[in-house]
Amino acid sequence: MSEGYRIGAAGVIPRVGFISLGCPKATSDSEQILTRLRAEGYEVVGTYDQADLVVVNTCGFVDDAVHESLDTIGEALRENGKVVVTGCLGARPEQILERHPQVLKITGPHAFDEVMDAVHEHLPPAHDPFLDLVPPQGIRLTPRHYAYLKISEGCNHRCSFCIIPSMRGDLVSRPLPHVLNEAIRLRNAGVRELLVISQDTSAYGVDVKYRAEQWGSREVRTRFIDLARELGQLAEGPGSDGQPLWVRLHYVYPYPHVDEVIPLMAAGKVLPYLDIPFQHGSPSVLKRMKRPAHAENTLERLKAWRREVPDLAVRSTFIVGFPGETEEEFQVLLDWLDEAQLDRVGAFKYSPVQGAPANALPNPVPEAVKQERYERFMTKAAAISAARLQQKVGRKLTVLVDAIEGSTVIARSYADAPDIDGTVRVRGSRALAAARVGEFMEVEITGADTYDLRAKLA
Ligand code: SF4
């Protein structure tokens, strides 16, 4: 952009560089800050030398993320010099100041006002009330056709390996009408897939005692099932262009009330997909982890859900080598996985996070044992994934096109969340001619490998 274009109260448009690290919840925070920056007339630029100031949204979940965040802050200081830090690592300012005392300001996660105050202080806005710089759906970091929809902040649980509640606080649910209005704006802007995120989606509304709210001529409650039902209706609601709107639920725990959403999946209103971070299969380890719903019989629940929705795709993450994990407990996890037959599985070797209560637990698992268990776990998970994908060969599926790379259409089915799951790779000249990025297409599955499917136009 040429200097001649830069206008404003002081004769220039102030320019902010933005770096977003971490999980989808951090991405959602970044989108909120970017929306505010643009609303106030800041230009968001992509290089350090174009920027007058840089905001770094950090992650502090595991030690690798802490290192990446600290390195990124260092790079921004070196290349630009004016740096505001926000996000999860910002909840531990001493760790940042020890390495980078010259940062302008440090705020914790979800501290939008404080970030904006810091930006105002070090880079005043250029007021131009005649410019409307923000599209109605706000600023998004995701492609135009899918978007994260954050329904709450914080968490009421206290898992022993996690410091998120100390960084983000207790659960604060957004009123359901706010969430629905944002979903409608996104749908109207061409979004085809809503990814519902939070720290615990199944706990939505607990903090406000499932408060009733007015929604049009009806009353809705700020609770999990109302959220799923109302989002599931948006594809057919007023203003819809008649295209499907995928609703994908992330970070759900296997509580009994989650059963209520299964009929919505059976009816095609909500994607038959659940992202449930089980973390382990051994009841004794889950108890030491202080996991939500650790006393539930998750295998029975999974079976009941699949009886109602045979196609249900379940993704999960696990921790191996948690302090005190014995070979017997690990074997319980492997047996659990055999029986659970999850579609999508990721695993981490336990690593202590500064400030987490689990660090004080006795009998840490040696690194070599963690590595060996991780490999055994992933070998089993990969075999289950390959077998489950093989069952899809020959079937017809609706997919959403993410990209076209050379002669291959990269798409996803209902069983694939962006970035974390697999893809459906569609080949053939007819498919290439028909495919449009951000639109749905019907395909026939022709092959499968461990994590991805191959297909042709149906
Ligand atoms: S549910 Fe547990 S792991 Fe997830 S944010 Fe809450 S305390 Fe952390």
Side-chain angles (χ1 to χ4, degrees):
M1 184 168 288
S2 76
E3 285 295 311
Y5 182 78
R6 303 184 73 203
I7 56 168
V12 291
I13 291 179
R15 298 185 294 195
V16 177
F18 202 101
I19 301 169
S20 184
L21 305 171
C23 65
K25 285 151 281 200
T27 305
S28 178
D29 283 0
S30 295
E31 290 172 341
Q32 301 263 6
I33 297 168
L34 286 165
T35 298
R36 289 217 199 165
L37 287 167
R38 288 289 302 274
E40 293 188 10
Y42 289 92
E43 188 188 338
V44 179
V45 292
T47 61
Y48 288 121
D49 37 317
Q50 282 178 310
D52 302 310
L53 175 150
V54 177
V55 178
V56 182
N57 189 5
T58 57
C59 176
F61 186 49
V62 292
D63 280 357
D64 283 353
V66 171
H67 291 311
E68 186 190 10
S69 293
L70 289 172
D71 289 349
T72 305
I73 295 166
E75 181 185 275
L77 283 167
R78 232 175 13 258
E79 302 294 327
N80 182 278
K82 289 175 86 172
V83 177
V84 171
V85 178
T86 183
C88 284
L89 188 60
R92 286 185 263 149
E94 65 293 341
Q95 231 178 321
I96 299 169
L97 288 171
E98 197 181 309
R99 271 222 2 224
H100 303 300
Q102 64 278 51
V103 294
L104 299 174
K105 173 83 182 174
I106 300 172
T107 81
H110 204 58
F112 310 140
D113 289 337
E114 285 173 79
V115 174
M116 292 309 297
D117 287 349
V119 173
H120 294 157
E121 186 185 338
H122 297 282
L123 185 65
H127 294 294
D128 189 339
F130 300 107
L131 283 182
D132 179 6
L133 298 164
V134 185
Q137 73 275 23
I139 309 296
R140 295 278 152 188
L141 295 171
T142 44
R144 187 171 169 264
H145 59 282
Y146 65 81
Y148 295 109
L149 183 63
K150 189 170 354 173
I151 58 165
S152 60
E153 263 301 328
C155 182
N156 284 349
H157 303 296
R158 295 294 181 266
C159 300
S160 56
F161 55 80
C162 178
I163 54 167
I164 284 175
S166 67
M167 295 191 290
R168 292 188 168 243
D170 282 340
L171 177 73
V172 179
S173 300
R174 294 175 66 196
L176 184 50
H178 291 199
V179 174
L180 295 176
N181 276 323
E182 183 180 351
I184 288 171
R185 282 198 298 276
L186 291 167
R187 181 203 63 186
N188 293 349
V191 164
R192 301 281 183 229
E193 178 178 4
L194 296 171
L195 303 132
V196 176
I197 55 165
S198 65
Q199 304 298 342
D200 177 358
T201 296
S202 35
Y204 178 57
V206 168
D207 54 315
V208 293
K209 301 193 170 50
Y210 310 116
R211 192 169 51 217
E213 306 270 358
Q214 205 59 33
W215 176 242
S217 56
R218 290 180 297 118
E219 207 173 68
V220 290
R221 288 189 168 270
T222 296
R223 66 177 171 186
F224 177 65
I225 185 62
D226 290 42
L227 168 83
R229 191 183 56 236
E230 296 299 328
L231 289 176
Q233 285 175 4
L234 289 186
E236 293 144 24
S240 158
D241 63 2
Q243 288 287 313
L245 179 68
W246 280 1
V247 176
R248 194 182 291 284
L249 300 173
H250 288 279
Y251 312 111
V252 174
Y253 289 96
Y255 288 112
H257 72 275
V258 174
D259 297 355
E260 295 171 12
V261 86
I262 303 298
L264 293 175
M265 295 180 176
K269 301 288 184 194
V270 171
L271 284 185
Y273 176 101
L274 281 173
D275 174 3
I276 307 176
F278 286 112
Q279 306 301 14
H280 214 279
S282 151
S284 47
V285 177
L286 287 168
K287 199 164 172 209
R288 290 204 296 282
M289 287 178 167
K290 296 195 164 46
R291 290 296 286 163
H294 71 261
E296 295 293 328
N297 187 338
T298 47
L299 287 174
E300 280 311 311
R301 183 144 280 128
L302 279 172
K303 280 184 198 153
W305 291 344
R306 284 188 174 133
R307 274 195 296 275
E308 217 171 323
V309 181
D311 268 347
L312 178 68
V314 181
R315 102 156 325 262
S316 191
T317 48
F318 293 85
I319 296 172
V320 298
F322 188 73
E325 183 191 65
T326 62
E327 177 57 30
E328 291 70 36
E329 287 171 331
F330 179 66
Q331 195 55 52
V332 170
L333 168 61
L334 291 184
D335 294 345
W336 185 95
L337 192 62
D338 252 339
E339 213 171 327
Q341 290 287 303
L342 303 185
D343 300 82
R344 305 290 188 189
V345 167
F348 299 97
K349 286 172 279 177
Y350 175 78
S351 74
V353 175
Q354 202 183 342
N359 300 345
L361 289 174
N363 306 319
V365 177
E367 281 308 316
V369 177
K370 276 188 212 168
Q371 180 64 28
E372 186 256 351
R373 287 182 186 167
Y374 173 80
E375 284 164 18
R376 279 159 69 200
F377 180 87
M378 286 314 293
T379 302
K380 183 172 284 293
I384 293 171
S385 172
R388 289 185 74 78
L389 289 183
Q390 199 60 43
Q391 290 166 12
K392 296 202 164 127
V393 175
R395 285 185 55 184
K396 293 198 171 70
L397 290 178
T398 302
V399 295
L400 182 55
V401 176
D402 276 340
I404 299 172
E405 289 174 5
S407 58
T408 306
V409 178
I410 313 291
R412 287 178 294 109
S413 75
Y414 75 93
D416 314 308
D419 294 331
I420 51 176
D421 294 330
T423 56
V424 181
R425 303 172 84 82
V426 195
R427 304 293 296 268
S429 50
R430 279 174 57 239
L432 266 181
R436 300 278 174 279
V437 171
E439 298 299 334
F440 295 101
M441 64 193 292
E442 301 301 315
V443 301
E444 183 182 329
I445 305 302
T446 55
D449 59 30
T450 308
Y451 299 112
D452 300 307
L453 290 170
R454 295 183 295 280
K456 63 179 184 186
L457 193 67

